[in-house]
Amino acid sequence: MTRKDAVIALLLTVLCAVMALASPQFLSVPNLQNVSRLVGTYGIFSIGVGFVIVTGGIDLSVGSMCALLGVLLSMMLVEWHWPATVALAAALIIGAGLGAAHGVLVTRLRLQPFIVTLCGLLLYRGAARYIARDSTKGFGTGEGFEWVRLLASGSLGGVPMPFVLLGIVAVAAWLLLHRSVFGRHLVAIGRNEEAARYAGIRTKAVVAWAYVISGALTAVSAIIIAFYTNSISPASHGNFYELYAIAAAVVGGCSLRGGEGSIAGIVMGAALLQVLRNLVNLLDIPGSLDFAVMGAVILLGAMADQIVAWRSRGAER
């Protein structure tokens, strides 16, 4: 565990202790299950966005991609009567394919990641609304694919399945980022892409794969969210999810300049955000402050990152 991870873990522990003292309901089993379910769901796509941020990029299309994939998944299962395994595979392939498109535009055409994924945010939201004709989609009783719904609403030994899936994804992502050549290349590109290129790293391919990972993990979360809510309104489904992902990554120690990130930190960052949201609900704080809290978290994380950068440059001198 890095120094940043230790600090985040301490903050999360203190916040949970404060929550337990402020509201005894926080430690109730139903509340803890609800929070862990949300941590699992949001944590999965936050890890994907974290990979992109490590390269020095950004992904703003997460929420709109969730809406588009949720609409398509509903239509594939309910209206087109595709087998569940085929529909799930198609959703994952589409998510990864959209991520690949982002990667190609960023690496081959040298477009700014902000512009590419901002356009994705608009395009996917518009496509979802057009395909669904602005009507709400769902899965009804889920007859014939009940096992898929268990991925979103079921549990394993009392632990919500999204949290279990987050654990699996986090372990795989940790090995990929911290214990593989690919992960070392990602970090090297984020720190200095030109130097990485001169070192023989295939920078374009590595960056493109980061966006593919982000798209694929967004698809996993999109499937979970769609079945958990059983209601996909194309105009609002997934709104602001990209901000939660960025906030979780920044709070978790990812530098927006690239070249630094921790899977454990991202998971704890996602948990920290959900505990803060739970605090807003349990203490009857106006829900309108939810986004204000998130904005403050992102700002504080960015400020901390900048202060660390200044100190590092001062130490080098």
Side-chain angles (χ1 to χ4, degrees):
M1 180 178 285
T2 66
R3 191 174 184 179
K4 278 188 176 181
D5 290 346
V7 172
I8 299 164
L10 179 61
L11 286 174
L12 182 59
T13 302
V14 170
L15 181 60
C16 289
V18 171
M19 280 290 298
L21 292 173
S23 174
Q25 187 181 349
F26 175 73
L27 293 178
S28 67
V29 173
N31 186 64
L32 290 177
Q33 287 181 327
N34 183 56
V35 172
S36 59
R37 188 181 307 278
L38 291 173
V39 171
T41 303
Y42 285 71
I44 290 172
F45 64 66
S46 295
I47 289 174
V49 173
F51 272 92
V52 172
I53 290 177
V54 168
T55 69
I58 200 75
D59 192 345
L60 302 176
S61 66
V62 171
S64 295
M65 196 182 295
C66 283
L68 177 59
L69 293 175
V71 165
L72 289 174
L73 188 61
S74 172
M75 295 176 72
M76 285 187 281
L77 289 171
V78 177
E79 299 178 21
W80 304 339
H81 304 291
W82 287 16
T85 51
V86 175
L88 293 182
L92 292 172
I93 291 170
I94 292 171
L98 294 176
H102 296 165
V104 169
L105 291 172
V106 169
T107 58
R108 298 296 177 181
L109 297 185
R110 309 299 296 175
L111 297 178
Q112 289 294 322
F114 180 89
I115 297 299
V116 171
T117 57
L118 177 62
C119 291
L121 179 152
L122 299 172
L123 283 169
Y124 307 149
R125 180 70 62 185
R129 297 183 65 175
Y130 177 78
I131 294 170
R133 296 183 180 180
D134 259 343
S135 62
T136 300
K137 298 292 182 179
F139 302 96
T141 60
E143 186 176 353
F145 44 88
E146 294 87 354
W147 64 272
V148 183
R149 177 162 287 168
L150 289 176
L151 294 176
S153 57
S155 60
L156 182 65
V159 180
M161 280 304 297
F163 195 80
V164 174
L165 292 174
L166 172 62
I168 296 170
V169 169
V171 169
W174 184 85
L175 292 172
L176 187 60
L177 183 61
H178 302 299
R179 290 294 183 271
S180 74
V181 174
F182 175 80
R184 290 195 291 273
H185 288 178
L186 274 180
V187 174
I189 291 169
R191 289 177 178 171
N192 191 322
E193 184 173 355
E194 187 174 355
R197 189 182 302 113
Y198 283 129
I201 297 174
R202 298 175 60 197
T203 56
K204 291 181 179 180
V206 172
V207 171
W209 273 108
Y211 283 93
V212 171
I213 292 170
S214 180
L217 292 182
T218 297
V220 173
S221 286
I223 293 169
I224 295 172
I225 295 165
F227 274 95
Y228 180 65
T229 61
N230 197 26
S231 177
I232 303 102
S233 174
S236 60
H237 186 81
N239 276 350
F240 303 110
Y241 282 5
E242 55 279 343
L243 297 186
Y244 284 107
I246 294 169
V250 170
V251 171
C254 290
S255 171
L256 290 173
R257 293 185 304 274
E260 191 173 356
S262 163
I263 299 301
I266 294 171
V267 171
M268 289 188 288
L272 191 65
L273 287 176
Q274 295 309 317
V275 171
L276 285 172
R277 291 184 69 192
N278 194 233
L279 180 148
V280 170
N281 293 329
L282 292 180
L283 299 185
D284 292 325
I285 298 172
S288 55
L289 289 177
D290 190 7
F291 292 114
V293 170
M294 186 169 59
V297 167
I298 296 175
L299 179 61
L300 290 173
M303 290 171 61
D305 179 53
Q306 188 63 41
I307 291 171
V308 169
W310 284 341
R311 288 183 174 178
S312 296
R313 285 196 291 266
E316 290 174 358
R317 291 174 185 172

